Amino acid sequence: AYAVNENSVSAIMLHDLKSGESTPLGNTTGIKGRGIEFAGADHLIIHASRTLSQFGYRGRFEYSGAISIDLKSGKTIQLVANKTDDLHPAQSGIGRIVGKKRDDPYVWMPAYIGTTDRATFSLLRVNLNSGRGRRKHRGNSKTIDWVVSPDGIVYMREDFDNKKNVHSVHTNVNGEWTKIYEEQTEQPSISILGVNQSKDALIFSGASSETDFHDLYEMSLEDGSISGPIISRDDASIDAVLTDINRVVHGVRFSGLWPRYEFFDAELTADIRSIQQQFGASAVYMDSWSDDWSKILLRVEGGELSGLYLYFDRISREAQAVASSRPQIKSEDVADSFPIEYTTRDGMRINAIVTWPPNIVEEKRKNLPIVMLPHGGPEAYDSIGFDWMAQYFASEGYMVMQPNFRGSSGFGREHLRAGRGEWGRAMQDDVTDGLQVAINMGWADPSRACIVGWSYGGYSALAGGAFTPDLYKCVIAGSGVSDLPEMLKTERFYHGSDHWVYSYWKDLIGDPRFEKDHLKNISPRYHADKFQAPVLLIHGKDDLVVKINQSRRMEDALEDAGKEVEFVQLKGEDHWLSSSETRLAALEAMGDFLREHLN
């Protein structure tokens, strides 16, 4: 099954691998699709969301849900919503499925039950045909997650007490609740991922005591004893776990510039490595698989590929191309990307992705206009693949550099934590030093440089314009933070001063109680007078991650300082540019702005 979006129309399609024919299952125009999955052979689940406000509750929220399609009758029903007694009216994450019994038309889904502030995060048994959910296991005010067997035996209930800063894990496998783990912490240091294949231990990721990376460990369901690491590397962290619908963990994907996989099944690991080697510099991702792992859906990006889906049969050893994610983009139009590494002014080693304009031979890759494109997060990273924004800029004739500055994830705890408290300082220096490398190599024209970013990348773009104003001829900030004291005030307002989310941001940026002057000093809004380059601000009106007021405050400050600024407000858009129409509008606005100011 796959989602398709063409000419402003979205739909879910069912593809027959034997005949090669696709048939529509339903029109999804107007909803923000977040993913699809099969719940057994007879039902397809569409995960979607929309931005809502609820009378009596503070602010807006991203309401998510799951829609079940009966593949035999074609009947479509939304799960849980409006069909579950005492369902809390204002919550996100309501469409998540954590388990299903084979050949049974029910799934397990967590949701908040209760219409007051005393609502509890409980476990529901939900009928795929009627959509009705019934509470089978009651959570409490501290519950944040569940792991459950297909038969409804609770392997784990996970709690986090924000007021007392206590993280705990409880099990009910023997018919009574038993606490098997407890830690006093402002932020959980381990992440429960699922259950092992023998169903006698939980699997979690945690920081290794011997390396700088996160590894995989087991926690016994009987007594909470911890063993491991059971999967680890000394050169990469765990980026994602591969689980089935019942959260049974089969393997992991490691971080790095190319995806690397390791499974408990050594033969499966060898098979995936073999097919990855066939695609050289391209990135090969595992997107889906059959229950017995004999059939795997692979996605290949990078090199000359804008996104190719392969159906890999491990029995016959054949890989069949079934679809392209971007069929209009031909191989000759895909820009060449490759990684580089450079040393910053204080000796930190930084890797970056460089993307060249297509059809420019290597000996002519000199003195080009350049777009510096720092990623969001900031605890994220750029890797080899088809980055649609970088590819767009390259297709317009610009060299693009994406630095994995300190504070990026994926390259070890030391690299990650080196960014704590360094917004606008060493993290920004890493971006600046990357630009200088491109100039010193003769690749980039120093008189034609622009800095562009989204989310934290938007902050970095504004910081570039404020703190290194002589470097850039233009600045483009999408959903960017401009006022850090205001951002932290907003996080405290929505989460509370004792919440781990607020604690995380204080740890990452600074504590406004003691560092208010510092936070203002690294906030671009308070340095609008220093800007020399024109600024383009882009922000979705429904952005709940970085509020649109951040861009409005920046616009006001720049106008008051007499600086050149444009502001594109995207109606109905969220933080992730989920709509095709507004994504195109953002690209067109950025393209026009770059052409105007970089010639």
Side-chain angles (χ1 to χ4, degrees):
Y2 64 93
V4 64
N5 184 14
E6 289 187 13
N7 301 321
S8 301
V9 176
S10 301
I12 298 294
M13 310 291 289
L14 197 64
H15 182 79
D16 189 309
L17 286 161
K18 292 182 179 179
S19 68
E21 296 180 354
S22 295
T23 54
L25 287 178
N27 189 313
T28 56
T29 304
I31 67 171
K32 293 185 282 191
R34 302 299 185 190
I36 53 176
E37 65 177 322
F38 285 101
D42 298 330
H43 294 88
L44 184 72
I45 306 297
I46 304 170
H47 296 279
S49 74
R50 55 179 175 160
T51 309
L52 294 175
S53 57
Q54 177 70 33
F55 178 76
Y57 293 89
R58 179 183 295 173
R60 309 184 79 195
F61 65 99
E62 194 70 11
Y63 177 84
S64 58
I67 301 166
S68 172
I69 301 179
D70 188 316
L71 297 177
K72 292 181 178 179
S73 68
K75 180 181 177 181
T76 299
I77 191 78
Q78 184 170 347
L79 303 180
V80 181
N82 303 321
K83 295 179 181 296
T84 300
D85 294 339
D86 212 21
L87 185 69
H88 190 66
Q91 59 177 305
S92 58
I94 201 173
R96 183 167 164 243
I97 295 174
V98 297
K100 184 188 183 300
K101 188 176 181 180
R102 185 185 292 272
D103 301 325
D104 187 295
Y106 292 89
V107 291
W108 295 99
M109 301 176 68
Y112 283 97
I113 299 296
T115 55
T116 69
D117 290 340
R118 295 182 178 271
T120 60
F121 196 57
S122 299
L123 193 60
L124 313 180
R125 188 169 182 256
V126 183
N127 190 307
L128 289 171
N129 295 314
S130 69
R132 184 174 181 81
R134 296 182 181 275
R135 180 166 60 187
K136 293 298 182 180
H137 296 282
R138 183 190 297 269
N140 57 55
S141 60
K142 308 172 191 68
T143 301
I144 59 173
D145 200 7
W146 297 86
V147 177
V148 60
S149 78
D151 294 320
I153 298 173
V154 176
Y155 293 129
M156 180 212 72
R157 189 193 77 230
E158 184 179 11
D159 294 348
F160 187 79
D161 189 329
N162 279 299
K163 295 187 181 299
K164 297 181 179 179
N165 291 330
V166 175
H167 182 207
S168 58
V169 175
H170 311 257
T171 183
N172 192 34
V173 292
N174 296 320
E176 60 181 49
W177 287 108
T178 304
K179 185 190 297 181
I180 60 173
Y181 173 86
E182 184 174 274
E183 179 189 16
Q184 188 82 31
T185 177
E186 286 192 350
Q187 303 169 38
S189 64
I190 69 170
S191 178
I192 304 294
L193 304 172
V195 67
N196 66 357
Q197 296 181 37
S198 57
K199 318 296 192 304
D200 60 4
L202 298 170
I203 290 182
F204 69 90
S205 68
S208 168
S209 59
E210 298 180 359
T211 73
D212 195 34
F213 298 93
H214 277 69
D215 297 331
L216 223 58
Y217 298 85
E218 283 189 340
M219 179 186 296
S220 169
L221 286 168
E222 183 177 352
D223 59 12
S225 59
I226 292 174
S227 57
I230 54 175
I231 290 183
S232 66
R233 292 184 72 112
D234 59 7
D235 62 345
S237 291
I238 292 167
D239 220 17
V241 292
L242 286 81
T243 66
D244 59 25
I245 198 170
N246 291 301
R247 299 188 71 179
V248 176
V249 179
H250 294 272
V252 301
R253 186 182 75 232
F254 285 103
S255 64
L257 297 175
W258 285 269
R260 293 171 289 181
Y261 292 90
E262 185 172 338
F263 297 88
F264 296 115
D265 181 345
E267 186 176 338
L268 177 56
T269 301
D271 285 348
I272 296 304
R273 288 178 181 172
S274 175
I275 200 165
Q276 284 179 314
Q277 290 172 359
Q278 297 177 34
F279 285 92
S282 298
V284 181
Y285 291 92
M286 298 181 63
D287 272 13
S288 189
W289 45 87
S290 60
D291 289 342
D292 63 359
W293 292 87
S294 65
K295 311 289 193 300
I296 301 174
L297 188 66
L298 302 170
R299 173 171 48 89
V300 188
E301 292 187 355
E304 296 181 346
L305 299 173
S306 62
L308 175 67
Y309 285 97
L310 297 175
Y311 178 66
F312 176 48
D313 188 322
R314 292 180 63 212
I315 307 302
S316 67
R317 316 297 298 175
E318 294 180 351
Q320 171 190 354
V322 293
S324 170
S325 54
R326 302 173 180 89
Q328 298 93 335
I329 301 178
K330 308 305 178 185
S331 60
E332 59 268 24
D333 299 321
V334 178
D336 182 24
S337 296
F338 67 88
I340 65 167
E341 191 174 74
Y342 61 89
T343 303
T344 65
R345 65 191 70 183
D346 61 352
M348 178 76 73
R349 298 294 292 173
I350 301 293
N351 67 62
I353 307 297
V354 171
T355 303
W356 299 103
N359 303 319
I360 295 183
V361 295
E362 187 170 347
E363 55 268 24
K364 293 188 177 181
R365 292 172 176 173
K366 296 179 181 180
N367 209 38
L368 295 171
I370 184 172
V371 169
M372 294 298 296
L373 187 61
H375 61 70
E379 294 188 347
Y381 68 97
D382 284 317
S383 58
I384 294 297
F386 188 90
D387 185 306
W388 59 269
M389 192 174 287
Q391 288 284 329
Y392 170 72
F393 293 140
S395 75
E396 291 286 293
Y398 308 104
M399 173 195 172
V400 182
M401 179 181 283
Q402 299 169 271
N404 285 311
F405 44 82
R406 74 191 71 195
S408 302
S409 61
F411 305 100
R413 190 169 52 214
E414 181 180 351
H415 189 84
L416 181 76
R417 294 197 67 85
R420 298 292 168 97
E422 294 296 335
W423 285 42
R425 300 195 297 187
M427 291 171 73
Q428 195 65 31
D429 290 343
D430 294 345
V431 178
T432 302
D433 293 348
L435 173 60
Q436 195 59 52
V437 166
I439 293 170
N440 292 344
M441 293 293 293
W443 298 336
D445 180 351
S447 68
R448 293 187 294 164
C450 185
I451 185 166
V452 182
W454 212 268
S455 192
Y456 171 82
Y459 165 82
S460 182
L462 293 171
F467 307 134
T468 52
D470 56 323
L471 291 182
Y472 300 108
K473 289 295 182 288
C474 62
V475 173
I476 301 177
S479 294
V481 177
S482 67
D483 187 331
L484 293 173
E486 180 65 22
M487 172 194 164
L488 288 164
K489 180 180 177 182
T490 300
E491 294 296 328
R492 186 177 68 245
F493 177 79
Y494 281 103
H495 294 286
S497 60
D498 58 356
H499 199 279
W500 71 266
V501 170
Y502 184 59
S503 173
Y504 166 81
W505 285 115
K506 286 193 301 179
D507 187 28
L508 197 67
I509 307 171
D511 192 330
R513 294 176 300 173
F514 312 112
E515 302 175 272
K516 188 173 183 180
D517 289 341
H518 163 67
L519 293 172
K520 283 189 173 182
N521 285 337
I522 59 173
S523 295
R525 179 199 169 197
Y526 298 99
H527 301 274
D529 60 310
K530 298 177 183 176
F531 278 75
Q532 296 179 19
V535 177
L536 173 64
L537 302 170
I538 305 175
H539 218 122
K541 289 187 175 182
D542 287 347
D543 192 334
L544 303 182
V545 179
V546 177
K547 306 296 184 182
I548 195 171
N549 279 346
Q550 288 284 334
S551 288
R552 288 172 177 161
R553 287 170 178 265
M554 191 72 237
E555 180 190 31
D556 289 344
L558 288 167
E559 288 180 341
D560 290 345
K563 305 299 180 178
E564 184 179 346
V565 58
E566 297 178 30
F567 187 14
V568 175
Q569 301 184 49
L570 302 174
K571 184 178 180 180
E573 188 51 87
D574 55 28
H575 189 68
W576 305 280
L577 289 177
S578 298
S579 163
S580 177
E581 290 79 10
T582 48
R583 180 174 291 194
L584 287 169
L587 286 179
E588 289 170 354
M590 290 189 287
D592 291 343
F593 196 77
L594 285 167
R595 280 188 292 273
E596 179 182 356
H597 297 290
L598 292 190
N599 298 319

